[in-house]
Amino acid sequence: MPMNLSSLSGWTPHRTFGLRAEWLALYLRDPVGWRETTQLGPVQIVSLGRWLLTGGVVEHSGKETVLARLFRERGLGDPLPWELFWANTAFAWPTARWYVSRLGLGEWTSAELCRRLLADVPRLAERTARDATVELVGLFAGTPIGRELGQGEVSGRGPRLVRRAGLPHPHAEALVHALELLFAECGRERLGYEEELLWPWVIFGSRREEALFELSQSGASGFRVREQWVERA
């Protein structure tokens, strides 16, 4: 990635907890009073609050986003809201950005993930790298992002094994959303495929050709897909 990963901060904002789908359900049922009525512990409450921000369910002001309404309309078993959540997470959380952009597809133990993160971002303390991978693996184990979306199916115990098979066919809405986030981050009108950016196919672990075809057929009016680049319409 052109952006220096070492310059990023916020590798472990979730207090060593991965998101669990049932935690998100608590919020969606009672977005105003969930902190007072939940059975979660104090640190878990803080963790869930940060996951809502990371995944783009709420804004920093506390206002709900369209994604929160989509989760309620389609339910936690529908993959589309989770695909949008994962795209938001890849842009908002350095650990997820590192994971998709540096590792690609494959299989690793949680200990190997920690070692790989330390090798790529040597300024991190070992405890920070370990906590970051704990949060990431916890997200995969506790939500459909891991197995159903193919981003990191978790198996075994001590160390846990994470297998990223990728998502061959993300929803067009998720691809468009990820591309919108990329353009917003880069602040340019044209992006070339040869650039090492956080492309939608990088985020989901899909094939570039298929993702571009889906984008070209999506009817999204904001972009034009060309042979060597994509540009704003």
Side-chain angles (χ1 to χ4, degrees), residues 126-144:
E126 184 174 352
R127 179 176 179 178
T128 300
R130 183 174 63 250
D131 290 349
T133 54
V134 165
E135 292 181 6
L136 185 68
V137 175
L139 171 68
F140 294 152
T143 71

Side-chain angles (χ1 to χ4, degrees), residues 39-104:
Q39 297 299 310
L40 298 180
V43 179
Q44 293 172 322
I45 289 174
V46 173
S47 177
L48 175 53
R50 289 306 304 252
W51 276 116
L52 297 175
L53 286 169
T54 298
V57 177
V58 300
E59 300 174 355
H60 283 277
S61 66
K63 180 181 178 181
E64 286 192 345
T65 67
V66 174
L67 181 55
R69 295 193 291 273
L70 189 65
F71 267 118
R72 290 197 186 93
E73 292 169 2
R74 303 187 66 145
L76 293 176
D78 191 292
L80 175 58
W82 288 110
E83 291 175 27
L84 298 171
F85 187 103
W86 178 237
N88 291 336
T89 298
F91 278 94
W93 185 28
T95 304
R97 179 186 289 263
W98 162 80
Y99 177 77
V100 298
S101 63
R102 291 292 171 88
L103 297 189

Side-chain angles (χ1 to χ4, degrees), residues 178-216:
L179 194 58
E180 289 172 343
L181 291 173
L182 181 59
F183 269 97
E185 178 176 90
C186 293
R188 290 154 46 199
E189 298 301 306
R190 176 184 292 182
L191 302 174
Y193 304 136
E194 78 284 354
E195 299 181 73
E196 295 182 10
L197 302 173
L198 202 57
W199 294 102
W201 48 89
V202 173
I203 293 172
F204 294 110
S206 54
R207 294 184 59 203
R208 185 179 82 181
E209 295 77 10
E210 294 184 7
L212 287 174
F213 176 79
E214 190 64 37
L215 283 166
S216 67

Side-chain angles (χ1 to χ4, degrees), residues 103-114:
L103 297 189
L105 306 182
E107 187 174 271
W108 315 271
T109 66
S110 54
E112 287 171 339
L113 288 175
C114 183

